[in-house]
Amino acid sequence: MKRKEDKRPLADEIAQAIQLGEYRSGEWLRQVDLEERFAATRFDVRAALEALVVRKEIQHVRNRGYKVPALDPEMLAHLREVRVILECGAVPQIVANATDEDVVRLAELAEAFSVAAKSGTHLDQSTTNREFHEAMHALTANPVLVETIWSIRDRGRSAPFTIWRTPDTLHRSDEDHRQMVHCIRERDAAGLSKVIEDHIRRRH
Amino acid sequence: MKRKEDKRPLADEIAQAIQLGEYRSGEWLRQVDLEERFAATRFDVRAALEALVVRKEIQHVRNRGYKVPALDPEMLAHLREVRVILECGAVPQIVANATDEDVVRLAELAEAFSVAAKSGTHLDQSTTNREFHEAMHALTANPVLVETIWSIRDRGRSAPFTIWRTPDTLHRSDEDHRQMVHCIRERDAAGLSKVIEDHIRRRH
DNA sequence: TGCGTAATAATTGGCGCCAATTTTATTGCG
DNA sequence: CGCAATAAAATTGGCGCCAATTATTACGCA
């Protein structure tokens, strides 16, 4: 069996499955299961799992295997705090760098999320949300900052399945995205920081 | 040959060797060499190298091996910028959390660095510097923030061999540490942020 | 002497294998 | 029926191996 010669590293595929709630907190990831599911060799699976351990997205227990860590409230609070620092730290550069075209593009991406929020699948919502934030963070023109932000977000599993349990939370995220676009359009750094911080700190 | 049953993961040992300038930018890390040097099996070496790739501390080139990345000025600037965001973002919690005992401890660690700066080895300087900063960041009581800070610092190889090329730069770092302790003692968040930012942005 | 080609040596990549460990099932006893 | 012990099954961990690839050396020719 040969792994589809494609696109993303296996580690990212597994990570996405975790993000989408296909593996729950505390759940063990069996190598043999992953081999089947992802059409991968054991060697590939093991390498991917090790990478995810380094990224702290999963945990390894010797002789027992790998599992999706339970995210206790304290860890979540730590992750949120670091997100606030990073994402608010990114604001000056986002506001300074955004062109009119960028703002138009962001508005389109916010709209795409809005559509997905109303009538899309969980995957749609996750994808459009990610695309919106990726485009926004890319405005910093600092790839290290972008990947650091995502490394923290991914660890906290900031994805629909864990967050958007109700239409209300979806709606709030939709509204927050619009606010973010508005603040960027107006070059309002303080306003953008506030929206982002509130967005991150909000209890879902 | 069995690896000394000990202390730190091999990846960290290799990382430190890189930090200390034992491998230069652009240099290839030969698996067979590392096996010898670190008394490790090939399996262990390969796992360690892969971990360092995930951590972006080294780069992998297929069929050719692993190498220490050259840090171009642009990448260094990105890393510095993220360090500023993170380390200045840590300031409010450092200042809020530090007890009198903490301040005394930090002053001792700053003094240890001062001694190493005057008459210690590069390793002494690296170790005492790291200990000082570790103690300071630990005051945030946010392990995620601490490890994120270090992941960025380590990528930028913020270590003596690459930074402290002259007694003058060592002296400045010594002075900066004292200033940091002073600001913490006085609960001067703005002052501490400034010292840290200047410290990071300084061209060495 | 310099260049190109072929041969040889060295290194990397990933596979298969099996020992070690853990989990599950079975059996026997009170 | 519940528990403990044993056996069997499943899973993990790391080793050895060799094919594939790259680097180096040797050779021949102009």
Side-chain angles (χ1 to χ4, degrees):
Chain A
M1 169 154 39
K2 186 75 199 290
R3 174 161 161 79
K4 359 183 213 185
E5 211 64 88
D6 70 289
K7 30 195 152 170
R8 298 182 300 158
L10 179 57
D12 289 347
E13 283 197 58
I14 294 170
Q16 181 176 33
I18 293 169
Q19 295 277 345
L20 289 173
E22 290 168 29
Y23 297 97
R24 286 158 303 154
S25 295
E27 186 165 353
W28 294 95
L29 302 170
R30 290 283 160 240
Q31 291 176 25
V32 286
D33 293 343
L34 298 180
E35 288 175 49
E36 275 187 38
R37 172 170 177 179
F38 294 98
T41 63
R42 182 133 172 273
F43 183 84
D44 288 337
V45 166
R46 289 163 72 180
L49 291 175
E50 277 305 317
L52 289 172
V53 168
V54 172
R55 285 154 61 168
K56 299 188 198 292
E57 291 187 45
I58 63 173
Q59 289 173 338
H60 175 235
V61 181
R62 185 176 176 83
N63 290 329
R64 299 196 56 194
Y66 298 81
K67 70 176 179 178
V68 177
L71 291 172
D72 62 64
E74 188 180 24
M75 175 58 63
L76 282 171
H78 291 322
L79 289 165
R80 262 196 295 267
E81 194 64 31
V82 177
R83 272 188 65 195
V84 168
I85 289 169
L86 286 167
E87 294 187 33
C88 292
V91 163
Q93 292 189 294
I94 291 172
V95 169
N97 292 345
T99 64
D100 289 345
E101 284 78 24
D102 292 326
V103 175
V104 169
R105 178 73 182 127
L106 278 174
E108 286 168 357
L109 290 169
E111 180 62 26
F113 175 77
S114 182
V115 170
K118 290 193 180 61
S119 51
T121 62
H122 279 308
L123 182 62
D124 289 337
Q125 290 156 7
S126 172
T127 303
T128 53
N129 179 61
R130 194 167 185 113
E131 280 166 357
F132 172 79
H133 285 282
E134 277 173 353
M136 186 170 72
H137 293 139
L139 296 179
T140 63
N142 184 332
V144 176
L145 179 53
V146 171
E147 87 208 14
T148 307
I149 286 170
W150 284 103
S151 73
I152 301 297
R153 289 178 71 124
D154 289 342
R155 279 170 67 183
R157 286 176 240 148
S158 310
F161 212 80
T162 56
I163 294 187
W164 298 316
R165 280 187 255 237
T166 67
D168 191 48
T169 54
L170 269 176
H171 175 69
R172 286 307 309 265
S173 290
D174 184 11
E175 189 54 38
D176 284 345
H177 290 177
R178 292 181 187 288
Q179 282 266 342
M180 290 173 196
V181 174
H182 173 75
C183 291
I184 295 169
R185 185 182 290 119
E186 302 293 326
R187 314 288 155 181
D188 177 10
L192 180 59
S193 278
K194 182 138 189 357
V195 177
I196 288 172
E197 181 165 355
D198 290 345
H199 186 69
I200 294 168
R201 292 199 192 280
R202 180 171 301 128
R203 285 300 161 86
H204 301 292
Chain B
M1 172 157 34
K2 186 63 199 271
R3 175 163 162 77
K4 2 180 211 184
E5 212 66 89
D6 72 287
K7 15 185 167 169
R8 298 182 300 159
L10 180 58
D12 289 346
E13 283 197 58
I14 295 170
Q16 181 176 33
I18 294 169
Q19 296 276 343
L20 290 173
E22 291 168 27
Y23 298 98
R24 286 156 305 154
S25 292
E27 186 166 353
W28 295 96
L29 302 170
R30 290 283 161 240
Q31 291 177 24
V32 288
D33 292 343
L34 298 179
E35 287 175 50
E36 273 189 36
R37 174 171 174 179
F38 293 97
T41 64
R42 184 137 172 270
F43 184 84
D44 289 337
V45 165
R46 289 162 74 179
L49 291 174
E50 277 305 316
L52 289 173
V53 168
V54 173
R55 285 153 62 168
K56 299 188 197 292
E57 292 187 45
I58 65 173
Q59 290 174 339
H60 174 235
V61 181
R62 185 175 177 83
N63 291 328
R64 299 197 56 196
Y66 298 81
K67 71 175 178 178
V68 178
L71 292 172
D72 61 62
E74 188 181 25
M75 175 58 65
L76 282 171
H78 292 322
L79 290 164
R80 261 196 296 265
E81 194 64 31
V82 178
R83 271 189 66 194
V84 168
I85 289 169
L86 287 167
E87 294 187 33
C88 292
V91 164
Q93 294 190 293
I94 291 173
V95 170
N97 292 344
T99 65
D100 290 345
E101 284 77 25
D102 292 326
V103 174
V104 169
R105 178 71 182 131
L106 277 174
E108 286 168 357
L109 291 169
E111 179 61 25
F113 175 77
S114 183
V115 168
K118 290 193 179 64
S119 51
T121 62
H122 280 309
L123 183 61
D124 288 336
Q125 289 156 8
S126 173
T127 303
T128 54
N129 179 62
R130 193 168 187 115
E131 280 167 356
F132 173 78
H133 285 285
E134 278 174 349
M136 185 169 75
H137 293 139
L139 296 178
T140 64
N142 184 330
V144 176
L145 179 54
V146 171
E147 86 209 15
T148 307
I149 287 170
W150 284 103
S151 73
I152 302 296
R153 290 178 71 125
D154 289 342
R155 280 172 64 183
R157 285 177 241 148
S158 309
F161 211 82
T162 56
I163 292 186
W164 298 315
R165 280 186 254 235
T166 66
D168 191 49
T169 54
L170 268 176
H171 176 71
R172 287 307 308 263
S173 289
D174 183 12
E175 190 53 39
D176 285 345
H177 291 177
R178 292 180 188 287
Q179 282 267 342
M180 290 173 196
V181 173
H182 174 76
C183 290
I184 296 170
R185 185 182 291 118
E186 304 293 325
R187 314 288 156 178
D188 177 10
L192 181 58
S193 277
K194 181 137 188 358
V195 177
I196 288 172
E197 181 164 356
D198 290 347
H199 185 69
I200 295 169
R201 292 198 193 280
R202 179 172 301 132
R203 285 299 158 86
H204 300 290

